[in-house]
Amino acid sequence: MTQEEFKEEAQRLRPRLMLTARRYLGDDDAEDTVQDALLRLWQMVGELRQPFDALALRLTRNLCIDQVRRRKPTVVLTDSGGTDQTDSDDERVERMMAVVSTLPSLQQTILRLRHLEGMEMNEIADLTGSSEVAIRKALSRARQAVRQKYMKQYE
């Protein structure tokens, strides 16, 4: 593919790539991600064949997912002036932890490592000596058990 063909194809694809990136990231990071995807495609310009729509969309999607995964979850603390909401949140957390403590020890451990410590699945698998698939299944079952027990006891 020539450089001119690449430029024409990139201009044609850019709106679709931007739409895909905005769905994942919002307006803030979409432009940078599309630029990064086009740069990576440019580096492969000699190997590309027209049309490269599917490759460009997949590359943009994967870059967006990588960015979403790198973001750390944050909690915004606000001073509401009253303690009613805080008390109810604290009570809910205590009830949830009481339900978690009724689970088998492996499920408790996996839930706490994943949600309280923020560990990745492969790290938990290495730590427990299990496979990543087994950890995912155990985590799924633990979440389901917590949901069912919480709903049964408190709602």
Side-chain angles (χ1 to χ4, degrees):
M1 170 179 286
T2 67
Q3 293 178 1
E4 285 303 316
E5 290 173 331
F6 178 84
K7 288 178 185 177
E8 289 172 12
E9 195 73 10
Q11 286 177 348
R12 184 184 64 79
L13 278 174
R14 186 174 184 71
R16 285 181 63 193
L17 299 178
M18 285 296 295
L19 183 63
T20 300
R22 281 189 185 119
R23 284 186 193 141
Y24 283 94
L25 305 171
D27 289 331
D28 297 339
D29 298 325
E31 180 70 33
D32 291 338
T33 303
V34 170
Q35 287 292 339
D36 191 23
L38 290 173
L39 176 65
R40 290 180 187 206
L41 289 168
W42 176 255
Q43 292 170 345
M44 299 185 298
V45 74
E47 303 163 14
L48 290 176
R49 302 283 182 258
Q50 277 183 309
F52 56 86
D53 299 30
L55 177 63
L57 287 169
R58 176 60 64 162
L59 181 60
T60 302
R61 179 181 165 271
N62 288 348
L63 290 171
C64 290
I65 290 170
D66 288 346
Q67 266 195 322
V68 169
R69 286 179 178 161
R70 277 187 295 235
R71 291 179 182 166
K72 297 292 182 192
T74 58
V75 177
V76 177
L77 300 176
T78 60
D79 184 18
S80 61
T83 58
D84 294 340
Q85 183 65 30
T86 305
D87 290 342
S88 65
D89 288 345
D90 290 343
E91 289 172 11
R92 259 187 263 150
V93 169
E94 286 179 28
R95 291 191 305 232
M96 186 66 68
M97 293 309 291
V99 170
V100 168
S101 67
T102 65
L103 296 175
S105 63
L106 180 62
Q107 288 182 347
Q108 284 183 41
T109 302
I110 293 171
L111 270 174
R112 288 184 173 131
L113 289 174
R114 178 70 176 155
H115 294 293
L116 297 179
E117 300 297 324
M119 292 179 75
E120 296 296 325
M121 295 293 186
N122 59 350
E123 296 171 326
I124 298 170
D126 290 341
L127 188 66
T128 60
S130 299
S131 70
E132 193 171 336
V133 172
I135 295 299
R136 287 184 190 281
K137 189 66 178 175
L139 182 61
S140 175
R141 287 181 178 157
R143 287 175 179 159
Q144 185 177 10
V146 167
R147 189 178 310 114
Q148 288 173 349
K149 288 180 181 185
Y150 187 86
M151 297 296 262
K152 186 176 180 181
Q153 289 180 3
Y154 298 108
E155 299 206 4

